[in-house]
Amino acid sequence: MNSEQSSIVIHEISKLQTPEQLWNPYEWYHDMLVNNPIYYDEKQNVWNVFRYDDVNMVLSDFKLFSSIRKRSVSPIPPVITRVDINSTDPPIQRDIRKLVSSAFTPRSLKEWEPRIRSVAKELIDNMKQMNKPDIIRDLAVPLPVTVISDLLGTPRQDLHYIKDWSDILFFPNSEGNIMDQAEIKYRAMSEFNEYLLPIVKEKRQNPEQDIISDLTLASYEGTQLTDEEVVDFSLGLLAAGNETTTNLLGNMFYTFAYEQQGTYQEIISNRSLISNAIEETLRYRFPITLDRVLTMDSDVLGVPMKKGDVIVVWLGAANNDAEQFPEPNKFDIHRENSNKHLSFGKGPHFCLGAPLARLEAQIALESFVETFADFVPTETFNPGLHLHKGTQNLLTLPVELKILDKSII
Protein backbone atom coordinates (compact mmCIF):
# COMPACT_ATOMS: atom_id res chain seq x y z
CA MET A 1 0.00 0.00 0.00
CA ASN A 2 1.32 3.43 -0.92
CA SER A 3 2.39 5.42 2.14
CA GLU A 4 0.57 8.45 0.77
CA GLN A 5 -2.73 6.56 0.88
CA SER A 6 -2.36 4.28 3.88
CA SER A 7 -3.65 4.87 7.39
CA ILE A 8 -1.21 5.72 10.16
CA VAL A 9 -1.00 2.94 12.74
CA ILE A 10 0.13 4.57 15.96
CA HIS A 11 1.05 1.35 17.76
CA GLU A 12 3.62 0.64 15.06
CA ILE A 13 5.24 3.94 16.01
CA SER A 14 5.17 3.49 19.76
CA LYS A 15 5.92 -0.26 19.72
CA LEU A 16 3.46 -0.59 22.61
CA GLN A 17 2.42 -4.07 21.64
CA THR A 18 1.19 -5.84 24.75
CA PRO A 19 -2.10 -4.89 26.45
CA GLU A 20 -0.15 -4.01 29.60
CA GLN A 21 2.04 -1.60 27.66
CA LEU A 22 -0.98 -0.05 25.97
CA TRP A 23 -2.70 0.51 29.30
CA ASN A 24 0.38 2.04 30.94
CA PRO A 25 2.35 3.94 28.27
CA TYR A 26 3.84 6.38 30.79
CA GLU A 27 7.38 5.02 30.74
CA TRP A 28 7.43 5.38 26.96
CA TYR A 29 5.93 8.88 27.19
CA HIS A 30 8.70 9.88 29.60
CA ASP A 31 11.42 8.45 27.37
CA MET A 32 10.13 10.29 24.30
CA LEU A 33 9.60 13.56 26.16
CA VAL A 34 13.16 13.48 27.47
CA ASN A 35 15.08 11.83 24.64
CA ASN A 36 13.03 12.14 21.43
CA PRO A 37 10.56 15.01 21.76
CA ILE A 38 10.54 15.41 17.95
CA TYR A 39 10.81 11.96 16.40
CA TYR A 40 10.67 10.86 12.77
CA ASP A 41 9.33 7.37 12.16
CA GLU A 42 10.60 6.05 8.83
CA LYS A 43 8.21 3.10 8.54
CA GLN A 44 5.08 5.21 8.98
CA ASN A 45 6.73 8.23 7.31
CA VAL A 46 5.55 10.69 9.93
CA TRP A 47 6.96 13.15 12.43
CA ASN A 48 5.89 12.66 16.04
CA VAL A 49 5.55 15.47 18.58
CA PHE A 50 5.31 14.90 22.34
CA ARG A 51 6.01 18.04 24.41
CA TYR A 52 3.08 20.08 25.64
CA ASP A 53 4.19 23.37 24.09
CA ASP A 54 4.91 21.75 20.72
CA VAL A 55 1.62 19.85 20.62
CA ASN A 56 -0.21 23.03 21.60
CA MET A 57 1.48 24.90 18.74
CA VAL A 58 0.65 22.27 16.12
CA LEU A 59 -3.02 22.15 17.10
CA SER A 60 -3.41 25.93 17.35
CA ASP A 61 -1.68 27.08 14.13
CA PHE A 62 -3.97 25.80 11.37
CA LYS A 63 -2.24 27.97 8.76
CA LEU A 64 1.03 26.08 9.16
CA PHE A 65 -0.36 22.74 10.38
CA SER A 66 -3.39 21.94 8.24
CA SER A 67 -6.17 19.40 8.71
CA ILE A 68 -6.53 18.97 4.94
CA ARG A 69 -4.63 15.72 4.55
CA LYS A 70 -4.55 12.38 2.73
CA ARG A 71 -3.24 10.26 5.59
CA SER A 72 -4.49 10.19 9.17
CA VAL A 73 -4.51 8.31 12.45
CA SER A 74 -8.29 8.66 12.35
CA PRO A 75 -9.87 5.22 12.17
CA ILE A 76 -12.87 6.48 10.19
CA PRO A 77 -12.58 5.82 6.43
CA PRO A 78 -12.50 9.10 4.49
CA VAL A 79 -15.72 10.32 2.91
CA ILE A 80 -15.64 13.07 0.30
CA THR A 81 -18.28 15.62 1.26
CA ARG A 82 -18.59 19.38 1.42
CA VAL A 83 -19.46 19.17 5.13
CA ASP A 84 -16.44 17.21 6.36
CA ILE A 85 -15.72 19.15 9.53
CA ASN A 86 -12.50 17.28 10.39
CA SER A 87 -10.66 17.62 7.08
CA THR A 88 -10.99 21.34 6.45
CA ASP A 89 -9.50 24.51 7.89
CA PRO A 90 -11.01 27.89 8.75
CA PRO A 91 -12.81 29.80 7.41
CA ILE A 92 -14.59 26.89 5.67
CA GLN A 93 -14.32 24.66 8.73
CA ARG A 94 -15.70 27.43 10.94
CA ASP A 95 -18.77 27.83 8.73
CA ILE A 96 -19.47 24.08 8.69
CA ARG A 97 -18.99 23.77 12.45
CA LYS A 98 -21.63 26.44 13.07
CA LEU A 99 -24.26 24.11 11.63
CA VAL A 100 -24.10 21.76 14.61
CA SER A 101 -22.29 23.71 17.32
CA SER A 102 -25.53 25.22 18.63
CA ALA A 103 -26.55 21.79 19.92
CA PHE A 104 -23.54 21.75 22.24
CA THR A 105 -23.69 25.27 23.69
CA PRO A 106 -24.16 25.65 27.46
CA ARG A 107 -27.69 26.95 26.85
CA SER A 108 -28.66 23.93 24.74
CA LEU A 109 -27.06 21.46 27.14
CA LYS A 110 -28.88 23.11 30.04
CA GLU A 111 -32.12 22.15 28.32
CA TRP A 112 -30.90 18.56 27.97
CA GLU A 113 -29.58 18.29 31.54
CA PRO A 114 -32.84 16.96 33.09
CA ARG A 115 -32.98 14.21 30.50
CA ILE A 116 -29.34 13.27 31.12
CA ARG A 117 -29.97 13.18 34.87
CA SER A 118 -32.98 10.96 34.31
CA VAL A 119 -30.94 8.49 32.25
CA ALA A 120 -28.10 8.46 34.79
CA LYS A 121 -30.50 7.95 37.72
CA GLU A 122 -32.25 5.07 35.99
CA LEU A 123 -28.94 3.32 35.25
CA ILE A 124 -27.61 3.81 38.78
CA ASP A 125 -30.89 2.70 40.35
CA ASN A 126 -30.63 -0.46 38.27
CA MET A 127 -27.09 -1.03 39.53
CA LYS A 128 -28.41 -1.02 43.11
CA GLN A 129 -30.37 -4.18 42.33
CA MET A 130 -27.53 -6.09 40.65
CA ASN A 131 -25.54 -8.94 42.18
CA LYS A 132 -22.52 -8.24 39.95
CA PRO A 133 -22.58 -4.62 38.77
CA ASP A 134 -20.05 -3.46 36.22
CA ILE A 135 -19.11 0.22 35.79
CA ILE A 136 -18.43 -0.12 32.07
CA ARG A 137 -21.36 -2.33 31.10
CA ASP A 138 -23.96 -0.74 33.34
CA LEU A 139 -23.01 2.96 33.31
CA ALA A 140 -20.12 4.07 31.12
CA VAL A 141 -21.48 2.46 27.95
CA PRO A 142 -25.26 2.97 28.18
CA LEU A 143 -25.26 6.55 29.50
CA PRO A 144 -23.57 8.36 26.59
CA VAL A 145 -24.99 6.15 23.83
CA THR A 146 -28.50 6.71 25.22
CA VAL A 147 -27.96 10.46 25.46
CA ILE A 148 -26.49 10.86 21.96
CA SER A 149 -29.26 8.67 20.56
CA ASP A 150 -31.83 10.96 22.18
CA LEU A 151 -30.00 14.05 20.95
CA LEU A 152 -29.92 12.71 17.40
CA GLY A 153 -33.55 11.58 17.65
CA THR A 154 -33.09 7.85 16.94
CA PRO A 155 -35.27 5.22 18.65
CA ARG A 156 -34.10 3.94 22.06
CA GLN A 157 -34.65 0.33 21.01
CA ASP A 158 -31.86 0.71 18.42
CA LEU A 159 -29.16 1.63 20.94
CA HIS A 160 -27.27 -1.64 20.52
CA TYR A 161 -26.96 -1.10 16.78
CA ILE A 162 -25.63 2.42 17.26
CA LYS A 163 -23.13 1.26 19.87
CA ASP A 164 -21.88 -1.58 17.67
CA TRP A 165 -21.39 0.70 14.68
CA SER A 166 -19.68 3.30 16.84
CA ASP A 167 -17.24 0.75 18.28
CA ILE A 168 -16.27 -0.55 14.85
CA LEU A 169 -15.83 2.87 13.30
CA PHE A 170 -14.04 4.76 16.03
CA PHE A 171 -11.71 2.21 17.56
CA PRO A 172 -8.20 2.79 16.18
CA ASN A 173 -6.58 0.75 13.44
CA SER A 174 -4.32 -1.90 14.92
CA GLU A 175 -1.45 -3.91 13.58
CA GLY A 176 -2.44 -6.41 10.93
CA ASN A 177 -4.18 -6.15 7.59
CA ILE A 178 -5.25 -2.51 7.34
CA MET A 179 -7.24 -3.20 4.18
CA ASP A 180 -9.33 -5.83 5.98
CA GLN A 181 -9.94 -3.42 8.86
CA ALA A 182 -10.95 -0.68 6.44
CA GLU A 183 -13.41 -3.04 4.74
CA ILE A 184 -15.07 -3.79 8.09
CA LYS A 185 -15.33 -0.08 8.83
CA TYR A 186 -16.79 0.71 5.41
CA ARG A 187 -19.38 -2.01 5.95
CA ALA A 188 -20.35 -0.53 9.32
CA MET A 189 -20.55 2.94 7.77
CA SER A 190 -22.79 1.63 5.00
CA GLU A 191 -25.08 -0.08 7.52
CA PHE A 192 -25.30 3.10 9.59
CA ASN A 193 -26.12 5.15 6.50
CA GLU A 194 -28.84 2.72 5.41
CA TYR A 195 -30.30 2.78 8.91
CA LEU A 196 -30.28 6.56 9.37
CA LEU A 197 -31.31 7.75 5.92
CA PRO A 198 -35.02 6.87 6.31
CA ILE A 199 -35.03 8.55 9.74
CA VAL A 200 -33.57 11.72 8.20
CA LYS A 201 -36.18 11.71 5.43
CA GLU A 202 -38.97 11.32 7.99
CA LYS A 203 -37.67 14.14 10.18
CA ARG A 204 -37.35 16.44 7.20
CA GLN A 205 -41.10 16.03 6.72
CA ASN A 206 -41.96 15.99 10.43
CA PRO A 207 -39.20 17.75 12.42
CA GLU A 208 -38.90 17.21 16.17
CA GLN A 209 -36.71 18.57 18.98
CA ASP A 210 -33.43 16.86 18.03
CA ILE A 211 -30.20 17.44 16.13
CA ILE A 212 -31.19 15.55 12.98
CA SER A 213 -34.32 17.67 12.64
CA ASP A 214 -32.24 20.82 13.13
CA LEU A 215 -29.82 19.70 10.42
CA THR A 216 -32.59 19.04 7.92
CA LEU A 217 -33.64 22.66 8.38
CA ALA A 218 -30.10 24.07 8.17
CA SER A 219 -28.55 25.49 5.03
CA TYR A 220 -24.97 25.72 3.81
CA GLU A 221 -23.60 27.61 0.82
CA GLY A 222 -27.10 28.83 0.01
CA THR A 223 -28.77 25.41 -0.04
CA GLN A 224 -30.19 23.04 2.51
CA LEU A 225 -28.10 20.06 3.53
CA THR A 226 -28.95 16.94 1.56
CA ASP A 227 -30.22 13.87 3.40
CA GLU A 228 -26.86 12.20 2.80
CA GLU A 229 -25.00 15.19 4.28
CA VAL A 230 -27.17 15.06 7.40
CA VAL A 231 -26.25 11.38 7.75
CA ASP A 232 -22.55 12.21 7.40
CA PHE A 233 -22.82 14.87 10.09
CA SER A 234 -24.66 12.50 12.40
CA LEU A 235 -21.96 9.87 12.02
CA GLY A 236 -19.36 12.35 13.20
CA LEU A 237 -21.48 13.24 16.20
CA LEU A 238 -21.37 9.63 17.42
CA ALA A 239 -17.70 10.06 18.32
CA ALA A 240 -18.26 13.50 19.81
CA GLY A 241 -21.02 12.31 22.11
CA ASN A 242 -20.37 8.64 22.76
CA GLU A 243 -16.94 7.00 22.90
CA THR A 244 -15.34 9.97 24.64
CA THR A 245 -17.64 9.79 27.66
CA THR A 246 -17.46 6.00 27.91
CA ASN A 247 -13.68 6.10 28.14
CA LEU A 248 -13.71 9.05 30.53
CA LEU A 249 -16.06 7.33 32.98
CA GLY A 250 -14.28 3.99 32.79
CA ASN A 251 -10.85 5.53 33.31
CA MET A 252 -12.07 7.68 36.18
CA PHE A 253 -13.64 4.86 38.18
CA TYR A 254 -10.69 2.57 37.47
CA THR A 255 -8.33 5.19 38.87
CA PHE A 256 -10.48 5.65 41.97
CA ALA A 257 -10.58 1.90 42.61
CA TYR A 258 -7.05 0.81 41.74
CA GLU A 259 -4.63 3.72 41.67
CA GLN A 260 -5.85 6.36 44.12
CA GLN A 261 -7.97 4.60 46.68
CA GLY A 262 -9.52 7.07 49.09
CA THR A 263 -10.21 9.62 46.35
CA TYR A 264 -13.86 8.60 46.11
CA GLN A 265 -14.35 9.09 49.85
CA GLU A 266 -12.73 12.50 49.57
CA ILE A 267 -15.18 13.44 46.83
CA ILE A 268 -18.11 12.27 48.97
CA SER A 269 -16.89 14.63 51.69
CA ASN A 270 -16.35 17.50 49.26
CA ARG A 271 -18.46 17.27 46.12
CA SER A 272 -16.98 20.47 44.74
CA LEU A 273 -14.03 18.24 43.77
CA ILE A 274 -16.09 16.39 41.16
CA SER A 275 -15.17 18.77 38.35
CA ASN A 276 -11.49 18.59 39.34
CA ALA A 277 -11.64 14.78 39.31
CA ILE A 278 -13.03 14.79 35.78
CA GLU A 279 -10.38 17.17 34.46
CA GLU A 280 -7.57 15.26 36.16
CA THR A 281 -8.81 12.01 34.63
CA LEU A 282 -8.77 13.64 31.21
CA ARG A 283 -5.20 14.75 31.85
CA TYR A 284 -3.89 11.63 33.54
CA ARG A 285 -5.37 8.76 31.55
CA PHE A 286 -6.72 9.70 28.15
CA PRO A 287 -4.34 8.55 25.37
CA ILE A 288 -5.26 10.43 22.20
CA THR A 289 -3.31 11.12 19.00
CA LEU A 290 -4.19 13.60 16.26
CA ASP A 291 -2.44 14.55 13.03
CA ARG A 292 -1.79 17.53 10.81
CA VAL A 293 0.17 18.22 7.61
CA LEU A 294 2.68 21.02 7.01
CA THR A 295 1.61 23.66 4.50
CA MET A 296 5.17 24.90 3.90
CA ASP A 297 8.80 24.11 4.72
CA SER A 298 9.47 24.99 8.35
CA ASP A 299 11.87 24.48 11.25
CA VAL A 300 9.50 25.99 13.83
CA LEU A 301 9.64 22.75 15.85
CA GLY A 302 13.41 22.81 15.97
CA VAL A 303 14.15 20.47 13.08
CA PRO A 304 13.78 21.07 9.32
CA MET A 305 10.50 19.73 7.95
CA LYS A 306 9.11 19.84 4.43
CA LYS A 307 5.79 20.95 3.01
CA GLY A 308 3.47 17.94 2.99
CA ASP A 309 5.13 16.22 5.95
CA VAL A 310 2.64 14.58 8.32
CA ILE A 311 2.81 15.48 12.02
CA VAL A 312 1.35 13.16 14.67
CA VAL A 313 0.77 14.81 18.05
CA TRP A 314 0.64 12.63 21.15
CA LEU A 315 -1.81 14.31 23.49
CA GLY A 316 -1.35 11.69 26.19
CA ALA A 317 2.36 12.47 26.32
CA ALA A 318 1.74 16.23 26.32
CA ASN A 319 -0.61 15.77 29.27
CA ASN A 320 2.21 14.02 31.11
CA ASP A 321 4.86 16.65 30.37
CA ALA A 322 6.49 17.54 33.69
CA GLU A 323 7.26 21.03 32.39
CA GLN A 324 3.51 21.73 32.33
CA PHE A 325 2.25 19.33 35.02
CA PRO A 326 4.66 18.72 37.93
CA GLU A 327 4.69 15.10 39.09
CA PRO A 328 2.66 14.09 36.04
CA ASN A 329 2.45 10.40 37.01
CA LYS A 330 0.51 11.32 40.14
CA PHE A 331 -3.29 11.44 39.90
CA ASP A 332 -4.16 14.53 41.93
CA ILE A 333 -7.70 15.90 42.08
CA HIS A 334 -6.29 19.02 43.77
CA ARG A 335 -4.01 19.84 40.84
CA GLU A 336 -4.64 23.49 40.03
CA ASN A 337 -4.06 23.32 36.27
CA SER A 338 -5.63 19.96 35.38
CA ASN A 339 -8.02 21.72 33.01
CA LYS A 340 -5.07 22.81 30.86
CA HIS A 341 -4.90 19.29 29.42
CA LEU A 342 -5.12 18.85 25.66
CA SER A 343 -7.33 15.75 25.59
CA PHE A 344 -10.07 17.55 23.67
CA GLY A 345 -7.60 19.11 21.27
CA LYS A 346 -7.00 22.81 20.80
CA GLY A 347 -7.76 25.52 18.30
CA PRO A 348 -10.47 25.43 15.61
CA HIS A 349 -10.85 21.64 15.83
CA PHE A 350 -11.41 21.57 19.60
CA CYS A 351 -13.72 18.60 20.26
CA LEU A 352 -17.29 19.58 19.52
CA GLY A 353 -18.60 17.15 22.12
CA ALA A 354 -16.36 18.27 24.98
CA PRO A 355 -19.12 20.18 26.83
CA LEU A 356 -21.45 17.18 26.54
CA ALA A 357 -18.78 14.72 27.75
CA ARG A 358 -18.00 16.92 30.74
CA LEU A 359 -21.68 17.33 31.61
CA GLU A 360 -22.41 13.60 31.35
CA ALA A 361 -19.40 12.74 33.53
CA GLN A 362 -20.39 15.42 36.06
CA ILE A 363 -23.95 14.13 36.30
CA ALA A 364 -22.86 10.48 36.41
CA LEU A 365 -20.42 11.06 39.27
CA GLU A 366 -22.87 13.27 41.17
CA SER A 367 -25.57 10.60 40.90
CA PHE A 368 -23.12 7.88 41.90
CA VAL A 369 -21.96 9.80 44.97
CA GLU A 370 -25.57 10.43 45.99
CA THR A 371 -26.32 6.71 45.83
CA PHE A 372 -23.25 4.72 46.86
CA ALA A 373 -21.20 5.16 50.02
CA ASP A 374 -18.32 3.23 48.47
CA PHE A 375 -17.34 0.84 45.72
CA VAL A 376 -14.50 -1.65 45.79
CA PRO A 377 -12.92 -4.06 43.30
CA THR A 378 -14.45 -7.51 43.28
CA GLU A 379 -11.23 -9.33 42.48
CA THR A 380 -7.66 -8.91 41.40
CA PHE A 381 -8.09 -6.97 38.19
CA ASN A 382 -5.53 -6.88 35.38
CA PRO A 383 -6.74 -4.17 33.00
CA GLY A 384 -4.57 -5.56 30.23
CA LEU A 385 -6.86 -8.60 30.12
CA HIS A 386 -9.97 -6.43 29.83
CA LEU A 387 -9.19 -4.13 26.89
CA HIS A 388 -10.77 -3.99 23.48
CA LYS A 389 -8.19 -5.63 21.20
CA GLY A 390 -5.51 -3.20 20.08
CA THR A 391 -6.96 -0.31 22.09
CA GLN A 392 -6.62 1.37 25.45
CA ASN A 393 -10.36 1.11 26.17
CA LEU A 394 -11.68 -1.00 29.04
CA LEU A 395 -14.31 -3.62 28.24
CA THR A 396 -15.32 -4.29 31.83
CA LEU A 397 -14.87 -2.99 35.37
CA PRO A 398 -16.68 -5.16 37.95
CA VAL A 399 -17.16 -3.68 41.42
CA GLU A 400 -18.95 -4.24 44.70
CA LEU A 401 -21.23 -1.39 45.76
CA LYS A 402 -22.16 -0.13 49.20
CA ILE A 403 -25.47 1.73 49.10
CA LEU A 404 -25.50 5.04 50.93
CA ASP A 405 -27.64 5.13 54.06
CA LYS A 406 -29.24 8.53 53.58
CA SER A 407 -30.85 8.43 57.02
CA ILE A 408 -27.48 9.20 58.61
CA ILE A 409 -26.58 12.10 56.35
Side-chain angles (χ1 to χ4, degrees):
M1 184 184 300
N2 188 301
S3 64
E4 292 303 316
Q5 299 173 336
S6 63
S7 297
I8 300 167
V9 183
I10 59 172
H11 300 326
E12 290 188 1
I13 299 172
S14 67
K15 306 300 188 292
L16 299 173
Q17 297 178 343
T18 69
E20 290 74 19
Q21 289 172 334
L22 287 171
W23 183 246
N24 285 308
Y26 304 107
E27 184 177 343
W28 183 74
Y29 286 165
H30 178 74
D31 178 62
M32 300 308 286
L33 283 163
V34 173
N35 299 313
N36 288 290
I38 307 294
Y39 166 68
Y40 178 72
D41 184 270
E42 293 186 2
K43 184 176 180 180
Q44 294 287 305
N45 188 27
V46 295
W47 290 96
N48 295 271
V49 177
F50 299 90
R51 288 184 300 215
Y52 183 94
D53 289 344
D54 293 337
V55 170
N56 189 41
M57 178 195 304
V58 171
L59 295 179
S60 301
D61 188 353
F62 66 88
K63 293 182 179 179
L64 181 58
F65 302 100
S66 174
S67 293
I68 304 173
R69 61 225 190 267
K70 297 179 180 179
R71 302 179 64 216
S72 178
V73 299
S74 172
I76 309 174
V79 177
I80 305 302
T81 169
R82 65 172 180 162
V83 292
D84 183 356
I85 195 172
N86 293 315
S87 298
T88 55
D89 292 322
I92 295 174
Q93 183 266 356
R94 190 179 300 120
D95 292 339
I96 299 172
R97 188 180 174 101
K98 286 179 182 177
L99 294 176
V100 288
S101 60
S102 60
F104 297 94
T105 62
R107 179 179 177 180
S108 296
L109 292 178
K110 191 70 175 178
E111 296 176 358
W112 282 91
E113 185 174 335
R115 192 178 304 193
I116 298 172
R117 289 194 181 278
S118 175
V119 174
K121 183 179 185 304
E122 179 181 352
L123 293 171
I124 289 173
D125 284 347
N126 289 340
M127 293 179 73
K128 290 165 59 176
Q129 314 302 322
M130 295 178 181
N131 292 325
K132 296 182 179 180
D134 187 295
I135 293 291
I136 305 296
R137 180 196 65 204
D138 302 319
L139 180 62
V141 166
L143 174 62
V145 74
T146 302
V147 171
I148 195 61
S149 177
D150 286 353
L151 278 168
L152 288 173
T154 57
R156 282 274 185 99
Q157 63 265 27
D158 296 339
L159 287 178
H160 61 291
Y161 296 122
I162 293 173
K163 178 59 178 173
D164 288 346
W165 290 321
S166 181
D167 285 351
I168 293 171
L169 288 167
F170 299 113
F171 280 174
N173 293 312
S174 58
E175 294 181 357
N177 192 316
I178 299 300
M179 293 296 291
D180 287 347
Q181 295 174 52
E183 183 178 345
I184 293 171
K185 290 177 183 291
Y186 274 119
R187 188 182 310 128
M189 184 181 293
S190 176
E191 291 173 356
F192 177 80
N193 291 352
E194 291 177 6
Y195 163 80
L196 199 62
L197 195 57
I199 294 175
V200 172
K201 292 180 181 295
E202 170 61 24
K203 289 184 181 295
R204 191 179 293 279
Q205 298 301 317
N206 301 289
E208 299 178 287
Q209 296 297 315
D210 54 58
I211 294 176
I212 291 178
S213 296
D214 290 345
L215 288 172
T216 63
L217 300 172
S219 62
Y220 179 62
E221 295 181 337
T223 62
Q224 283 192 309
L225 298 179
T226 66
D227 293 340
E228 290 75 14
E229 287 172 338
V230 174
V231 170
D232 290 339
F233 251 128
S234 302
L235 176 64
L237 293 176
L238 283 183
N242 184 10
E243 301 296 344
T244 299
T245 307
T246 293
N247 294 333
L248 169 56
L249 290 173
N251 292 344
M252 180 170 63
F253 281 100
Y254 171 86
T255 304
F256 291 168
Y258 289 96
E259 296 185 327
Q260 288 294 326
Q261 295 178 352
T263 300
Y264 183 72
Q265 293 301 320
E266 190 175 0
I267 291 172
I268 287 180
S269 300
N270 183 2
R271 298 185 187 183
S272 67
L273 293 171
I274 287 177
S275 179
N276 300 50
I278 293 168
E279 298 303 321
E280 179 67 352
T281 302
L282 288 164
R283 182 204 69 82
Y284 175 72
R285 185 178 284 284
F286 215 77
I288 298 292
T289 52
L290 298 172
D291 52 76
R292 298 291 186 266
V293 63
L294 271 170
T295 59
M296 64 184 75
D297 294 354
S298 176
D299 61 358
V300 69
L301 291 171
V303 295
M305 298 179 182
K306 297 293 185 180
K307 178 181 178 180
D309 281 356
V310 176
I311 316 292
V312 174
V313 291
W314 293 77
L315 278 61
N319 290 338
N320 279 269
D321 187 343
E323 293 296 319
Q324 178 71 23
F325 304 103
E327 297 185 88
N329 292 338
K330 178 183 179 183
F331 181 86
D332 181 6
I333 62 173
H334 299 282
R335 190 184 296 273
E336 293 183 357
N337 67 338
S338 293
N339 63 354
K340 299 298 182 183
H341 64 79
L342 298 174
S343 294
F344 288 129
K346 189 72 178 291
H349 287 278
F350 182 80
C351 178
L352 189 65
L356 177 60
R358 284 183 165 118
L359 179 61
E360 288 175 331
Q362 179 86 20
I363 289 173
L365 187 49
E366 287 175 354
S367 300
F368 206 88
V369 165
E370 290 169 0
T371 307
F372 300 114
D374 203 1
F375 71 100
V376 295
T378 58
E379 58 191 48
T380 301
F381 184 81
N382 180 351
L385 301 178
H386 299 271
L387 299 179
H388 286 274
K389 183 179 179 181
T391 77
Q392 293 155 300
N393 304 320
L394 284 172
L395 273 167
T396 182
L397 186 60
V399 294
E400 291 182 1
L401 299 170
K402 180 180 179 181
I403 298 176
L404 186 66
D405 183 354
K406 297 185 179 181
S407 67
I408 63 175
I409 297 178

